[in-house]
């Protein structure tokens, strides 16, 4: 049974396959043609953390594919009262066809996958946000970038989005430059996986604490909140430590002329991005948000197609 827990579990060709499924289904969706690729299938959606885009894209997505979604907040199910993940997994696996989960610990997703007997999709963990990356790649492809040969700068916190960009770059072979403040770098184990993958994909990975150097001449700039879900207590310290890392007009002017700016959202203006840069790139950012629907359909249909491999 295959799962969608990190892009590191998926080959470059499989990432491109998922994008192709998403593109085809997007065309049909925009023509109001809703083909029942997942007819009568049930998707359980477990949320330990808040969500707007992930919840709505999976819930609308599965219904447009002919299935149904169950929203399971961990506050309301027995998991939140201490029922073991492996028991929850075995119960759900006998009743639903697929599980999407947003959790703190990546190891909880691994446990769900091990015990459920149905495909499990990572809807964000402290370590990775791979379904977001699929929407980001779909968006960049639509905007005319060659996603196997582009230069991307990630400026900000070393977090689940940074880790996911590292997996994407190192699998697909594009150039990724990451600049974080000192003390907020990506973990060594993620860096090691990316550098190992890069040996075969040819990806160029640069990791530094210098945002101006990282952004210089790139095709795509991206960032994310400095305070991820679960880190609220660190907010004041992080804001102080991230001085000089806001993607504002002067920072953005160092990227290539016409560079794309992406943000997975929610965005905090005046912190990781200025209001001016955000609004100047709103078309790209909301295309990215809307592509969550199409990319997530691609992921679900792919999980169903390869379910018995
Ligand atoms: N980008 C993203 O995952 O948004 P939500 O937290 O709203 O799902
Ligand atoms: N890094 C952010 C992403 C939100 C979609 C978080 O984990 O809160």
């Amino acid at each position: 049974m295959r799962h969608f827990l990190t892009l590191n579990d998926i080959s470059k060709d499989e990432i491109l396959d998922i994008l192709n499924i998403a593109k085809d289904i997007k065309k049909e969706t925009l023509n109001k043609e809703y083909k029942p690729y997942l007819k009568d299938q049930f998707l359980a959606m477990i949320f330990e953390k808040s969500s707007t885009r992930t919840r709505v894209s999976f819930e609308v997505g599965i219904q447009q594919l002919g299935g149904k979604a169950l929203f399971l907040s961990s506050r309301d199910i027995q998991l939140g009262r201490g029922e073991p993940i492996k028991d929850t997994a075995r119960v759900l696996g006998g009743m639903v066809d697929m599980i999407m989960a947003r959790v703190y610990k990546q190891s909880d997703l691994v446990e769900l996958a091990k015990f459920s007997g149905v495909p499990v999709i990572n809807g964000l963990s402290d370590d990775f946000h791979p379904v977001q990356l699929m929407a980001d790649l779909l968006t960049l492809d639509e905007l005319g970038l060659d996603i196997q040969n582009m230069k991307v700068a990630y400026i900000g916190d070393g977090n689940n989005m940074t880790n996911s960009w590292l997996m994407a770059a190192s699998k697909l072979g594009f150039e990724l430059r990451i600049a974080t403040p000192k003390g907020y770098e990506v973990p060594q184990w993620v860096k090691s996986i990316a550098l190992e993958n890069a040996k075969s994909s040819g990806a160029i990975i640069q990791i530094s604490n210098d945002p101006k150097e990282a952004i210089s001449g790139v095709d795509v700039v991206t960032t994310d909140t400095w305070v991820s879900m679960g880190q609220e207590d660190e907010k004041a310290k992080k804001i102080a430590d991230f001085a000089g890392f806001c993607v504002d007009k002067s920072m953005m002017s160092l990227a290539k002329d016409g560079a794309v700016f992406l943000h997975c959202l929610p965005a905090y203006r005046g912190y990781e991005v200025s209001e001016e840069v955000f609004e100047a790139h709103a078309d790209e950012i909301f295309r990215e948000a809307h592509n969550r629907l199409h990319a997530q359909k691609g992921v679900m249909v792919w999980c169903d197609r390869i379910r018995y491999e």
Side-chain angles (χ1 to χ4, degrees):
M1 176 73 57
R2 297 282 303 280
H3 304 277
F4 191 87
L5 303 187
T6 92
L7 293 185
N8 193 46
D9 304 335
I10 297 163
S11 70
K12 169 175 137 182
D13 287 345
E14 288 174 328
I15 295 173
L16 298 175
D17 277 352
I18 297 172
L19 288 172
N20 284 331
I21 299 170
K23 281 191 239 176
D24 289 347
I25 299 181
K26 178 171 181 177
K27 259 186 237 144
E28 293 165 4
T29 304
L30 296 182
N31 288 330
K32 305 267 178 229
E33 242 188 288
Y34 301 114
K35 296 193 186 160
Y37 294 102
L38 300 181
K39 187 168 161 35
D40 297 333
Q41 293 205 22
F42 279 86
L43 172 74
M45 307 192 302
I46 298 174
F47 282 94
E48 289 184 350
K49 303 183 183 183
S50 304
S51 170
T52 300
R53 284 143 285 267
T54 304
R55 177 180 175 179
V56 176
S57 58
F58 275 96
E59 192 159 339
V60 171
I62 186 97
Q63 296 204 34
Q64 291 183 344
L65 294 168
K68 284 197 168 49
L70 297 164
F71 173 71
L72 305 173
S73 160
S74 63
R75 282 186 296 277
D76 302 324
I77 59 173
Q78 298 289 6
L79 183 67
R81 296 182 58 249
E83 183 167 20
I85 294 265
K86 60 182 179 181
D87 293 359
T88 306
R90 284 177 284 188
V91 171
L92 292 179
M95 298 192 196
V96 305
D97 303 281
M98 222 174 264
I99 298 171
M100 185 275 287
R102 169 166 286 195
V103 297
Y104 288 90
K105 294 194 292 191
Q106 183 76 14
S107 57
D108 285 347
L109 293 167
V110 173
E111 184 94 337
L112 267 176
K114 186 169 167 201
F115 286 94
S116 66
V118 296
V120 175
I121 298 169
N122 179 358
L124 180 146
S125 69
D126 287 350
D127 292 340
F128 295 108
H129 196 4
V131 288
Q132 176 71 52
L133 253 287
M134 296 311 294
D136 294 5
L137 294 170
L138 178 61
T139 305
L140 295 173
D141 179 74
E142 286 178 353
L143 293 173
L145 284 129
D146 175 353
I147 60 167
Q148 295 183 64
N149 189 25
M150 58 184 176
K151 288 186 188 159
V152 178
Y154 177 100
I155 309 296
D157 189 28
N159 64 13
N160 44 12
M161 281 301 300
T162 332
N163 294 348
S164 302
W165 274 104
L166 268 171
M167 294 303 113
S170 66
K171 285 279 173 168
L172 291 174
F174 62 83
E175 179 169 337
L176 177 65
R177 304 185 197 160
I178 293 172
T180 68
K182 284 205 169 67
Y184 295 97
E185 290 87 358
V186 293
Q188 187 57 44
W189 65 270
V190 177
K191 196 170 144 186
S192 304
I193 295 173
L195 294 178
E196 189 56 37
N197 290 344
K199 285 185 194 158
S200 48
S201 69
I204 299 172
I205 309 283
Q206 285 177 11
I207 298 182
S208 76
N209 305 113
D210 184 344
K212 291 190 175 144
E213 189 193 328
I215 207 170
S216 154
V218 294
D219 307 302
V220 179
V221 178
T222 187
T223 182
D224 183 19
T225 181
W226 294 341
V227 185
S228 284
M229 289 180 276
Q231 300 180 337
E232 289 73 14
D233 293 350
E234 298 165 43
K235 184 170 175 184
K237 177 171 178 6
K238 285 189 106 172
I239 289 171
D241 291 348
F242 280 69
F245 279 77
C246 177
V247 181
D248 57 13
K249 197 173 164 195
S250 97
M251 178 91 81
M252 197 64 199
S253 71
L254 302 174
K256 195 168 150 184
D257 271 353
V260 171
F261 175 80
L262 294 185
H263 192 307
C264 66
L265 301 178
Y268 299 90
R269 275 86 151 177
Y271 296 105
E272 75 271 12
V273 60
S274 69
E275 171 76 10
E276 195 178 16
V277 167
F278 186 93
E279 290 304 335
H281 292 271
D283 287 352
E284 294 156 1
I285 295 166
F286 289 102
R287 176 190 282 263
E288 174 190 15
H290 297 160
N291 272 336
R292 292 294 302 276
L293 173 64
H294 309 294
Q296 273 45 141
K297 285 180 178 175
V299 171
M300 287 189 280
V301 169
W302 178 80
C303 283
D304 182 52
R305 285 191 187 159
I306 60 138
R307 146 185 322 261
Y308 299 109
E309 278 177 20

